[in-house]
Structure formats: C-alpha cells, structure tokens
Amino acid sequence: MEDQDRYQRGWEKLKEVDGEAGERVIGSLADIAPDFARYLIEFPFGDIYCRPGLDLKSREIAVVAALTALGNAAPQLRVHINGALNVGCTRQEVVEVIMQMAVYAGFPAALNGMFAAKEVFKERDESGQN
Amino acid sequence: MEDQDRYQRGWEKLKEVDGEAGERVIGSLADIAPDFARYLIEFPFGDIYCRPGLDLKSREIAVVAALTALGNAAPQLRVHINGALNVGCTRQEVVEVIMQMAVYAGFPAALNGMFAAKEVFKERDESGQN
Amino acid sequence: MEDQDRYQRGWEKLKEVDGEAGERVIGSLADIAPDFARYLIEFPFGDIYCRPGLDLKSREIAVVAALTALGNAAPQLRVHINGALNVGCTRQEVVEVIMQMAVYAGFPAALNGMFAAKEVFKERDESGQN
Amino acid sequence: MEDQDRYQRGWEKLKEVDGEAGERVIGSLADIAPDFARYLIEFPFGDIYCRPGLDLKSREIAVVAALTALGNAAPQLRVHINGALNVGCTRQEVVEVIMQMAVYAGFPAALNGMFAAKEVFKERDESGQN
Amino acid sequence: MEDQDRYQRGWEKLKEVDGEAGERVIGSLADIAPDFARYLIEFPFGDIYCRPGLDLKSREIAVVAALTALGNAAPQLRVHINGALNVGCTRQEVVEVIMQMAVYAGFPAALNGMFAAKEVFKERDESGQN
Amino acid sequence: MEDQDRYQRGWEKLKEVDGEAGERVIGSLADIAPDFARYLIEFPFGDIYCRPGLDLKSREIAVVAALTALGNAAPQLRVHINGALNVGCTRQEVVEVIMQMAVYAGFPAALNGMFAAKEVFKERDESGQN
C-alpha cells in the first residue's frame, strides 16, 4: 500500500470521526508543522482508526476514557466527546464513560470530563446535532 | 436502598467482572483497611458498574484504555484485561484498545499495555480460559 | 446505616469543607449527571471525609498536596485551597504544603499551585475571610 | 548562611525523616551523581523540610498523599510512609491519607499505596518499630 | 561557596534563559512566597543550569520535551519554548522536539505543545525576536 | 514514497538508535500484535527519527528527559538511555539530563531515572560499551 492511500483513507476517517473540529486542527498546523498534520492524518486515522477488530464506537469510548483519565488534554477531550457522538454513542453512554473514570482516575478528572461533556452537549444542541 | 443491598450487589458484580483476582484484592485489604475493601465493593461495583446506560463490555474497554494510558497501575491493568475478557471482549478487541492508546498516550504506554496483555493471555491459555 | 444517612451526612460535610463552591459543583451536575452529584456527596463526603482516624485539617493538607502534584485539576485545587482554610489551616500552612511539592512533583507544579493560592487568598480578602 | 550549614542541617533532617533508607539513597548516588546527592540533602532537607510554618507530620502527610496520587514513584512512597511514621504519624493516619487518595486519584492509586503501606508496616513489625 | 553567590549566579542565569518572563514569575511570588522565589533562583538556576557537562541548548531541549510530555504546566512550557530560542535553538529544532513527543506521550500532548510554540513564535515575531 | 521504504528506513534507524533492545521489543510483539510492531518501526523510526532539523543526539536527550519526567515507562527509559549513548551522548550528558528533571518533575522522578542510568551504565561496562 502506498502512502497516498494512507493519507486519503486517513483524511476520510478523520472527517468521519472528528468532523470540522478535526479539519480545524489540521488547518492550524499548516504554518508551523505541516508534516505533523500529515502524520496525524496518516498514522492515527489512516493506520489505527481504520483497523478491523474493534468498532469505531468502542474506539471512541476508549479515547474519551483515556483523555478524561489523563486530564491534561482538554481540547482533545472535547473533540473526542464530539467524535463519540458522531460515530454513534449516545450522550448517556458518554456520561457513563466519564463517570466510570471517577473510580480509576479520581473525582476531579471525572468532574472536569463531565463539564467538558456539558459544554459539548450545549454546542450540539445549538446546532441541532444529536 | 439500603447499604446492605449495595454491598451484596457490588460483591456479585466484582466477582462477575474481576473474578478471583478481585476477591484476592479484597482479601488482601482485610488486615490493613477493611473499610476500604467495603468501599471498593460498594462504590465502584455496587454503584457504578451496576448502572444502566453503558454495557459491561464498554465499561471494561474504557477501564483498559484509561489504565493503559495512565501507565502507573500495572496490577490493576492486568485485573481489568482479565475483566474485559470475562465480560465478553475478544482478545483482539483488547489488543486494539491498547494499540489505540499509542496515539493518545504514546508508544511506551501502549507497549507496556501490550506486554501486560501478553502475560494475561498466557495465564488464561494455561488455565483454559478464553 | 441507610443511604439516606450517607447522603445527609455527606451533604453537611461537603458544606463544611467546600462551602458554596461545593454546592455550585453539585448544582452544575444537576442537568447532566444527577446521580454523579449524589455519588460525590455520598462517597467522598459521606464515607471518606467523615471517617475518624485523621483530622479534617490533615485531610485537606493531603488533598491540596495531591492536586498540586497532579497539576491537572485546577478548579478542584482552588476549591480545596479554600477547603483547607475553611477547616482551620492557616494561609502559611497552605503555602508550605504547595512549596513542599516543588521537591516531589517539580517547580512548575508548585508554581501553578502557588498562583492558585494567590487567587484564592485575594478572593477571600475581598470577602473578608481568613 | 553558608552552604556548609545547609548541608549539615539537611543531613540531620534527612536522617530524622527518612532514617537509614535516606542514607542508603544518598550512598547509592555516590558513584554516579555525587552532586545530585548533595543537592538532595541541601534543597529538600536543608531548605524545605527545615522551614517553620508547617510541622513535620503535616509535611509527611502531604508527601505520602502526593506520591500515592502520582503513582509513579513506588520506592520513594515506601521511604515516606516510613518517614511519616518516623515523625509521629500513626499507622491509622497513614492508612487514612492513602484512602483519601481514592477520591482524588482513583482506586488503583489508593490500592497501590495501601499495599506499599502493608509492606512497610510488616517490615517495621519485624524490626520492632511503631 | 556562599549562598549569596548561588543567588547572584542563579539570577544571572535565570535572566539569560527565561528573560523577562522569568523575572515576572519571580516578581509575582514576592507577596505570597518570597522564599520560594529565592529557592527558584538558587536551586534550578544557581545550582542546576550552571553545571558543566551539558550545554544550555540541550538543557532547554530536555525541558521543552518534559513539559510537553507532562502536559500539565502550560505557562512554564511557553516560558521554556522562549528559553530554548533565547539560548540558541532554532524554531525548527523546537518544533522537532515537540513533534518527537507524539511518539512518547501521544498526539494530544504534542498538539498542545505545538499550539504553545505557535503562540510563542507569533509573540516573538511581533517583538522582532528570532 | 512507498510504505516499503518507510519500513526499511525505520528498521535501520531503530537498530541505530535502540540496538538489540529495539529488535527484542519488535520480536516480542510478533505473536500478539505484529501490526503494532510494524507501526512502531514505520512511524517513530521511519517517519520521526529520520527527519532533518534536529540531530539524533538531541532527539535522544528529549526522549530521556520525557521518560524520566513521566516516570511510568521504566523499560523504555532504559532502552533510551542506551539509545542516547549509542548515538553519541556521553554518560555525563545523560546524568545531567536526568538531574535537570529534578527541577521539572521532582526529585523522585530524577532519582528513579538516575538508578535506571546506573543499571544501564553497569551493563554497558560489562559488555565493554561506552
């Protein structure tokens, strides 16, 4: 498989999962690190997200869980709460994943995840999304 | 609902998810912090794991993802790789969740998660488990 | 002991430690995860903070230390700097706990803790609190 | 104040808090980074631990809390569980500090802290210490 | 060597590495923890940064890498991106260090580092710095 | 550029930086996640390590710094202390990078890094390496 395929496939997957927010991230890297933007499309989205063996919903559940637990990447957590909803998670499922993190990473991490979800849900309400 | 119910329900759920490893953790707390053993049964398992809104498989995917990403709780990661398999995840799904963490927490975290999975799979092979 | 007792006792303890900031956190969860608000009252405050064996001042010293060291939960750190002062720590004691973290979690973590304390002290000056 | 004073004062304080374990750490640095051993005596122990404004017991409570929460420095956690007991904390207080961390850093961090405490208590039992 | 020397030497080094941003940090500590400001000058800058055996450029590469990877000290990361440029790193070198962190701490950490670099580069453009 | 090139180039770079330890990691993934082994060769080594704009020595300084600071990936830290020495860092430079982390991630992280370096140096002494 040639790199052109990875890029194209990754770009489609990035748009499917992250939507406009993903495109904005790529755009914002154009003037400082365009190669990094390309890697971000190729490796996470062209290689990993396209793999069989785990459905997209479960991948996003894993990512929302990890970013809530780490607690040091707020913008990416918001992107992936949107991503989880974009690929078929319900809001309730997102809330449950975040709540589960109170047990494994503490209440502050879960609280900050919950407030991120609240913001994302409000934005989606305003633009008529699920 | 009375606390006796939470405890009983949590104890059943702990055995369902974590199996004997969970019981050993509870047992090992008996002489140093028996109340903490009780909280561990009541809150994570009696309250959180029993909630509707997210299936057990997804809860374990979230936990394996978070513990792989945090990278500082190796014994609990092994317990929950087992837990994921106990509640219906395939080995391939566990491997994919851990691989996904390379993107969100770096390759060292994913590598250490993968080596933990390898150990767990070997132990389960030896005892004839899925 | 019934759950109603845990909730009531937790609610009283939450108000004693975190004051209005704690009540605001609970209120902000009402529309997204009311059960999580309830757990937050019941487990941390109804179970843990009410335990004998460690005085409230020492519990808050432990929490300010941990949140300063983790460095990924800024809003909760401010709540608990207030909490430490609410339960009898002096401002100097809070400053010393944060400074101690320079040794165990690095100067950036301690600096960000110190700036959080500075904001909290200013707010308390403005409302005439200790 | 001259550096000789900082070093001497730090050395005394290191022995008071960390006991023989502290001396072993210093000794093990002699062949790889003797200056780092000197800084470890001078800054944490000569400067920070000797400060007024927070008693030694509270300093050790803060350190046990932070190292339990961070979860990535197991040897140092054991040294400071000993340290807490050396400067007057009861075993019950140490257990309570660690349990409190379940709320702020998750159950895995608290469990690993608890198992560290269990080991330390056993060693101290065997050598007849409090 | 007397402490007065450490302080003076540290102060010069702080200005060389961190420039005005470093002086502002010191100034902002004056009313809450002046001793901590002094330690910050003496230990990191008077002791560590002045050591032979590793050039200043490499020290700043190490610091930018670590703060990007930890992801929980955004203000200090910006100060040290400036610091790296102040002591001779090129912007490209800073970008490469941050990109390298995608491998070791994940893409979110690297992305947030990249956006911090973008801000710093813009500020330096506006004030005519390299 | 085709993927075959990335893989070949990555494999050469992996051997240059990590030596036999890198090959062992790749080998140990063969039965559990062979694709992950391939990604590890392609992305970190085929894409990132081969980039111009930052010399290999500086890349390894960045990695040793980050892994010391994170403190949750001990095996990878040892691999990259070796890596730093393999690509031209002196032992003194490695020690200085680790010592620098005491300032940015705390003394426990730096101590554990120092003990890892001590082990690596001993192994290299025994096999006659620099």
Side-chain angles (χ1 to χ4, degrees):
Chain A
M1 184 184 57
E2 299 184 25
D3 264 23
Q4 189 52 37
D5 293 338
R6 288 173 74 228
Y7 186 86
Q8 192 55 44
R9 192 180 52 198
W11 184 240
E12 294 303 322
K13 191 57 78 179
L14 172 77
K15 286 192 291 187
E16 179 184 354
V17 176
D18 289 351
E20 287 180 18
E23 294 185 64
R24 269 196 303 275
V25 167
I26 297 301
S28 69
L29 290 169
D31 60 347
I32 188 168
D35 290 354
F36 188 54
R38 181 165 58 77
Y39 298 144
L40 181 53
I41 291 167
E42 289 175 348
F43 172 59
F45 292 95
D47 286 342
I48 299 289
Y49 270 98
C50 290
R51 291 178 57 79
L54 187 71
D55 61 282
L56 265 183
K57 251 188 73 172
S58 296
R59 288 190 189 276
E60 283 303 281
I61 283 171
V63 174
V64 169
L67 295 179
T68 298
L70 291 169
N72 62 2
Q76 289 77 24
L77 176 56
R78 282 194 298 273
V79 168
H80 284 281
I81 290 171
N82 272 301
L85 299 171
N86 292 342
V87 301
C89 288
T90 65
R91 292 188 182 188
Q92 187 57 31
E93 286 173 324
V94 168
V95 164
E96 293 294 327
V97 168
I98 293 170
M99 203 184 298
Q100 182 92 13
M101 293 302 105
V103 176
Y104 294 96
F107 279 77
L111 274 171
N112 291 325
M114 211 61 94
F115 296 142
K118 197 169 162 168
E119 276 180 54
V120 169
F121 294 173
K122 185 152 171 275
E123 286 165 13
R124 291 176 76 99
D125 280 342
E126 289 167 3
S127 63
Q129 291 174 283
N130 70 307
Chain B
M1 183 183 59
E2 298 185 26
D3 263 25
Q4 189 51 37
D5 293 337
R6 289 172 74 228
Y7 186 87
Q8 193 55 43
R9 192 180 53 199
W11 184 240
E12 294 304 323
K13 190 58 76 178
L14 173 76
K15 286 193 290 187
E16 178 184 355
V17 176
D18 289 351
E20 286 181 18
E23 294 184 64
R24 269 196 302 275
V25 167
I26 296 302
S28 69
L29 290 169
D31 60 348
I32 187 168
D35 290 353
F36 189 53
R38 181 165 57 78
Y39 298 145
L40 182 53
I41 291 167
E42 289 175 348
F43 172 59
F45 292 95
D47 286 341
I48 298 290
Y49 269 97
C50 289
R51 291 178 57 78
L54 187 70
D55 61 282
L56 264 183
K57 250 188 76 172
S58 297
R59 287 190 190 276
E60 283 303 282
I61 283 171
V63 174
V64 169
L67 294 179
T68 299
L70 291 169
N72 62 1
Q76 289 77 24
L77 175 57
R78 283 194 298 274
V79 167
H80 284 280
I81 289 171
N82 272 301
L85 299 171
N86 292 343
V87 301
C89 288
T90 65
R91 291 188 183 189
Q92 188 57 31
E93 286 173 323
V94 168
V95 164
E96 293 295 327
V97 168
I98 292 170
M99 203 185 298
Q100 182 92 13
M101 292 303 104
V103 177
Y104 295 96
F107 278 78
L111 275 172
N112 291 324
M114 211 63 93
F115 296 141
K118 198 169 160 168
E119 276 180 54
V120 169
F121 295 172
K122 185 153 172 276
E123 287 164 12
R124 292 176 76 98
D125 281 343
E126 289 167 2
S127 62
Q129 291 174 282
N130 68 307
Chain C
M1 181 185 60
E2 299 184 24
D3 264 24
Q4 189 51 37
D5 294 337
R6 288 173 74 230
Y7 185 87
Q8 192 55 43
R9 190 180 55 198
W11 184 240
E12 294 303 322
K13 190 58 76 177
L14 173 76
K15 287 192 290 187
E16 178 183 355
V17 176
D18 290 350
E20 287 181 17
E23 294 185 64
R24 268 196 302 275
V25 167
I26 296 302
S28 69
L29 290 169
D31 60 347
I32 187 168
D35 290 354
F36 189 54
R38 180 166 57 80
Y39 298 144
L40 182 52
I41 291 167
E42 289 175 348
F43 172 59
F45 292 95
D47 286 341
I48 299 289
Y49 270 99
C50 289
R51 292 177 57 77
L54 187 70
D55 61 282
L56 264 183
K57 252 188 72 172
S58 297
R59 288 190 189 275
E60 283 304 281
I61 283 171
V63 174
V64 168
L67 294 178
T68 298
L70 291 169
N72 62 1
Q76 289 77 23
L77 176 56
R78 284 194 296 274
V79 167
H80 284 280
I81 290 171
N82 272 301
L85 299 171
N86 291 344
V87 300
C89 288
T90 65
R91 292 187 182 188
Q92 188 57 31
E93 286 173 322
V94 168
V95 164
E96 292 296 327
V97 168
I98 293 170
M99 202 184 299
Q100 183 92 14
M101 293 302 105
V103 176
Y104 295 95
F107 279 77
L111 273 172
N112 291 325
M114 212 61 94
F115 296 141
K118 196 169 162 169
E119 276 180 54
V120 169
F121 294 173
K122 185 152 171 276
E123 286 164 12
R124 292 175 75 100
D125 281 342
E126 288 166 4
S127 62
Q129 290 173 284
N130 69 306
Chain D
M1 181 185 60
E2 298 184 25
D3 263 24
Q4 190 51 37
D5 294 336
R6 287 174 75 229
Y7 186 87
Q8 193 55 44
R9 191 181 55 198
W11 185 239
E12 295 303 322
K13 190 58 75 178
L14 173 76
K15 286 192 291 187
E16 178 184 355
V17 176
D18 290 350
E20 286 181 19
E23 294 184 64
R24 271 197 302 273
V25 167
I26 296 302
S28 68
L29 290 169
D31 60 347
I32 187 168
D35 290 355
F36 189 54
R38 181 166 57 78
Y39 298 145
L40 181 54
I41 291 167
E42 290 174 348
F43 172 58
F45 292 94
D47 286 341
I48 298 289
Y49 269 98
C50 289
R51 293 178 57 78
L54 187 71
D55 61 283
L56 263 183
K57 250 188 74 171
S58 297
R59 289 189 187 277
E60 283 304 280
I61 283 171
V63 174
V64 169
L67 294 178
T68 298
L70 291 169
N72 61 2
Q76 288 77 25
L77 176 56
R78 283 193 297 274
V79 167
H80 284 280
I81 289 171
N82 272 301
L85 299 171
N86 291 343
V87 301
C89 288
T90 65
R91 292 186 183 189
Q92 187 58 31
E93 286 172 323
V94 168
V95 164
E96 293 295 327
V97 168
I98 292 170
M99 202 184 300
Q100 182 92 13
M101 292 302 105
V103 177
Y104 294 97
F107 278 78
L111 274 172
N112 291 324
M114 210 64 92
F115 296 140
K118 197 169 161 168
E119 276 180 52
V120 169
F121 294 173
K122 185 153 171 275
E123 287 164 12
R124 292 176 75 100
D125 281 343
E126 290 166 2
S127 62
Q129 289 174 284
N130 69 304
Chain E
M1 182 184 59
E2 300 185 23
D3 264 23
Q4 188 51 38
D5 293 337
R6 287 173 75 230
Y7 185 87
Q8 193 55 43
R9 190 181 54 199
W11 184 239
E12 294 304 322
K13 191 56 77 179
L14 173 77
K15 286 193 291 187
E16 179 184 353
V17 176
D18 289 351
E20 287 181 18
E23 294 185 64
R24 269 196 303 275
V25 167
I26 297 302
S28 68
L29 290 170
D31 60 347
I32 187 168
D35 289 355
F36 188 54
R38 180 165 59 77
Y39 299 144
L40 181 53
I41 291 167
E42 289 174 349
F43 172 58
F45 292 95
D47 286 341
I48 298 288
Y49 269 97
C50 289
R51 291 178 57 79
L54 187 71
D55 61 281
L56 263 185
K57 250 189 76 172
S58 297
R59 288 190 189 276
E60 283 303 280
I61 283 171
V63 174
V64 169
L67 295 179
T68 298
L70 291 169
N72 62 3
Q76 288 78 24
L77 175 57
R78 283 194 297 273
V79 167
H80 284 281
I81 290 171
N82 272 301
L85 299 170
N86 291 343
V87 301
C89 289
T90 65
R91 291 186 183 191
Q92 187 57 32
E93 286 173 323
V94 168
V95 164
E96 293 295 328
V97 169
I98 292 170
M99 203 183 300
Q100 182 92 13
M101 292 303 105
V103 177
Y104 295 96
F107 279 78
L111 274 172
N112 292 325
M114 211 62 93
F115 296 141
K118 197 169 161 168
E119 276 180 53
V120 168
F121 294 174
K122 185 153 171 276
E123 287 164 12
R124 292 175 76 99
D125 280 342
E126 289 167 4
S127 63
Q129 289 173 284
N130 69 307
Chain F
M1 182 185 59
E2 299 183 26
D3 264 25
Q4 190 50 39
D5 293 338
R6 289 172 74 227
Y7 185 86
Q8 194 53 46
R9 191 180 52 198
W11 185 240
E12 295 304 321
K13 191 57 76 177
L14 173 77
K15 286 193 290 187
E16 178 184 355
V17 176
D18 290 350
E20 287 180 19
E23 294 185 65
R24 269 196 303 275
V25 167
I26 296 301
S28 68
L29 290 169
D31 60 347
I32 187 168
D35 289 354
F36 189 53
R38 181 166 57 78
Y39 298 145
L40 182 53
I41 291 167
E42 288 175 350
F43 173 58
F45 292 95
D47 286 341
I48 299 289
Y49 270 98
C50 289
R51 292 178 57 79
L54 188 71
D55 61 282
L56 264 183
K57 250 188 74 172
S58 297
R59 288 190 189 276
E60 283 303 282
I61 283 171
V63 174
V64 169
L67 294 179
T68 299
L70 291 169
N72 61 1
Q76 290 77 23
L77 176 57
R78 283 194 297 273
V79 168
H80 284 281
I81 289 171
N82 272 301
L85 299 170
N86 291 343
V87 301
C89 288
T90 65
R91 292 187 182 189
Q92 187 57 31
E93 286 172 324
V94 169
V95 164
E96 292 295 327
V97 168
I98 292 170
M99 202 184 297
Q100 183 92 13
M101 291 303 105
V103 177
Y104 294 96
F107 278 77
L111 274 171
N112 291 324
M114 211 62 93
F115 296 141
K118 197 168 162 169
E119 277 180 53
V120 170
F121 295 173
K122 185 154 170 277
E123 287 164 11
R124 293 176 74 100
D125 281 343
E126 289 166 3
S127 62
Q129 290 174 283
N130 69 304

